[in-house]
Amino acid sequence: MALEHGCDDPVRLDNARAWRTYLGGKMLDAFHGCNHGDDGHFPEEWVTSLVAARNAGREDVVEGISRIYGEDTTLQELILSAPGAFLGERHVKKLGVTMGVLVKLIDSAERLAVQVHPDREKARELFQSEYGKTECWHILGGREINGEKPSVYLGFREGITRERWMELFKRQDIQGMLGCMHRFFVEPGDTILIEGGVPHAIGAGCFLVEIQEPTDYTIRVERTTPSGYRVEDVMCHQGLGFERMFDCFHYDGLSREETRRRWFLKRRPAAGYRGGEAETLVGYEDTPFFRMNILTVPGDAKQTVIGRDVAESGAGDSCTVQQELHGSGTGDCSGLYVLEGEGEMTAGDRSVTVRRGEQYFLPAGIRELRWRAGTGGNLKMIQFFGPCLD
């Protein structure tokens, strides 16, 4: 496998879907060119995933794991064939054989159940996991559902106690629980950080990219989804039981203004790129757990956008740029998802055509990356990285 896919070549992956308790996916189908799709229980596409979805009653079904496009080989099998070459020696030494990050595209036709994910401390204590599930949403678009614009619920209001929250859960007072949280209407371009321990729910009609720590630990406090699907007990408490699951919540409430100021992130220029436009959506200054940039290459000019941490080594309309190397002699592995347009991606002396909806694993052995947009429109992508290694 390592010989078939070199550690210095982009590796195209399939578009793995995962079953979830909530309904959605129609916009995700349309994004991939299928305008006759329906909302169902596969509302998520998992990207560069080494993580299997956790679903009660579907333990024998492997979902969410990324495979090499057109092959039966999983991304995990490829990486295991030469971990240091594909992930980088420094990465493997610090994190082991894992990307350390998971990205999803999500289309919600209904509000998701109110939920929380453990922070790292609780993940170690309760799940014996080195990863919690801090996550970040970047809103791509949306649709009105029953006349309601896309929105999200985020964080406790001031004064919410564990005792009050548990009582609302026992009564299944859904409106009471929603009333304990802040609701924000969202627009394309909004980016929202959700740390482990912060209660939240994606509202109906949201189409977004989610970047997160690589686990699927989700504590749900609704026993039935808005569309009427009965949630299994273990899907609520993830094996912890209905008392201990409340250990996962942070009960330090904030005002609406403080919540927006703390969790809604502002774009800023992304360092290490030349040509086109590169902006950081979430960076290591926001959380040490992951980084995600959005890259735009104009389609009406000979522009090139280059990979992370680079030093210019060429000139002309299409600058050739060399990726900066670390002490281990390799770069950082990353993932790439094409959001808009088509064009050409070049790694070293190999070029591939890239189009909307395609996803790629970019091994650490890649030392040079260039992108060029095709004619007729911009090429827009997200490039994402695992935990900070410094």
Side-chain angles (χ1 to χ4, degrees):
M1 286 178 289
L3 295 178
E4 296 175 9
H5 298 279
C7 62
D8 56 356
D9 292 330
V11 180
R12 184 179 171 187
L13 305 174
D14 67 357
N15 302 97
R17 298 285 281 267
W19 189 95
R20 303 278 81 176
T21 59
Y22 68 96
L23 297 176
K26 185 175 181 178
M27 287 190 69
L28 195 51
D29 290 340
F31 181 79
H32 286 287
C34 176
N35 294 315
H36 305 291
D38 294 317
D39 290 314
H41 281 288
F42 287 87
E44 299 183 1
E45 177 183 334
W46 290 23
V47 183
T48 63
S49 172
L50 307 182
V51 180
R54 292 165 55 95
N55 292 308
R58 299 177 68 86
E59 291 84 358
D60 295 332
V61 182
V62 179
E63 293 167 340
I65 294 288
S66 293
R67 295 181 179 274
I68 310 304
Y69 182 78
E71 302 180 16
D72 289 332
T73 306
T74 67
L75 175 60
Q76 185 173 44
E77 289 170 333
L78 178 70
I79 289 172
L80 285 172
S81 70
F86 283 106
L87 297 178
E89 296 292 349
R90 188 172 72 131
H91 181 110
V92 172
K93 184 175 181 180
K94 186 166 184 178
L95 302 177
V97 186
T98 173
M99 284 282 290
V101 70
L102 173 62
V103 170
K104 305 173 182 177
L105 265 66
I106 295 175
D107 170 36
S108 59
E110 63 174 320
R111 177 182 56 76
L112 276 65
V114 175
Q115 59 192 255
V116 78
H117 311 297
D119 60 23
R120 286 203 172 182
E121 180 181 355
K122 285 299 177 184
R124 292 188 188 99
E125 175 188 341
L126 301 175
F127 296 101
Q128 296 74 54
S129 170
E130 288 303 309
Y131 292 98
K133 197 186 170 195
T134 287
E135 61 190 46
C136 183
W137 305 326
H138 177 67
I139 308 297
L140 296 175
R143 49 179 162 153
E144 288 193 8
I145 303 289
N146 297 324
E148 289 276 351
K149 294 182 178 180
S151 66
V152 300
Y153 293 83
L154 179 66
F156 281 133
R157 297 175 181 268
E158 295 170 298
I160 306 303
T161 63
R162 177 181 177 129
E163 291 71 26
R164 180 181 176 187
W165 191 238
M166 290 181 66
E167 180 59 31
L168 291 169
F169 167 75
K170 291 175 183 177
R171 298 202 312 263
Q172 281 298 283
D173 182 350
I174 307 304
Q175 290 306 312
M177 286 192 281
L178 292 174
C180 290
M181 303 165 63
H182 299 288
R183 185 186 186 189
F184 298 94
F185 290 99
V186 291
E187 301 287 343
D190 286 343
T191 304
I192 306 155
L193 181 64
I194 308 95
E195 290 188 344
V198 176
H200 59 275
I202 296 172
C206 290
F207 184 45
L208 57 87
V209 177
E210 175 181 286
I211 184 169
Q212 58 160 91
E213 293 184 85
T215 71
D216 197 26
Y217 301 126
T218 300
I219 305 298
R220 300 171 177 87
V221 292
E222 294 184 57
R223 307 294 298 272
T224 304
T225 68
S227 62
Y229 181 84
R230 177 70 178 175
V231 181
E232 297 283 346
D233 288 359
V234 71
M235 293 294 284
C236 289
H237 58 60
Q238 295 291 306
L240 298 177
F242 285 120
E243 180 77 24
R244 204 173 186 195
M245 76 180 200
F246 288 94
D247 292 349
C248 292
F249 290 86
H250 293 177
Y251 297 95
D252 46 349
L254 300 173
S255 70
R256 181 179 180 84
E257 294 72 22
E258 289 172 322
T259 300
R260 176 177 284 279
R261 184 168 57 251
R262 183 170 180 178
W263 304 125
F264 278 70
L265 306 181
K266 294 182 179 179
R267 292 191 190 194
R268 57 273 194 196
Y273 294 84
R274 299 291 186 274
E277 182 180 272
E279 295 179 299
T280 294
L281 299 176
V282 56
Y284 295 139
E285 62 271 34
D286 304 307
T287 174
F289 301 148
F290 42 72
R291 179 185 181 188
M292 183 164 69
N293 299 328
I294 187 163
L295 315 177
T296 304
V297 189
D300 58 354
K302 293 183 179 180
Q303 298 273 359
T304 302
V305 178
I306 307 303
R308 179 186 174 210
D309 293 331
V310 295
E312 187 173 352
S313 63
D317 292 330
S318 177
C319 295
T320 300
V321 179
Q322 185 72 27
Q323 188 171 11
E324 180 179 309
L325 303 181
H326 296 283
S328 61
T330 60
D332 291 334
C333 62
S334 65
L336 185 84
Y337 199 99
V338 184
L339 297 176
E340 181 182 315
E342 66 176 70
E344 183 179 77
M345 176 169 60
T346 301
D349 57 1
R350 181 187 175 193
S351 295
V352 295
T353 299
V354 296
R355 297 180 176 87
R356 185 176 79 165
E358 293 181 352
Q359 55 172 285
Y360 292 84
F361 168 63
L362 304 178
I366 294 177
R367 291 176 170 82
E368 183 182 69
L369 273 173
R370 302 192 303 275
W371 291 278
R372 187 190 300 276
T375 58
N378 294 343
L379 177 62
K380 183 176 292 186
M381 304 160 288
I382 55 169
Q383 187 179 15
F384 49 89
F385 305 84
C388 180
L389 300 179
D390 296 326

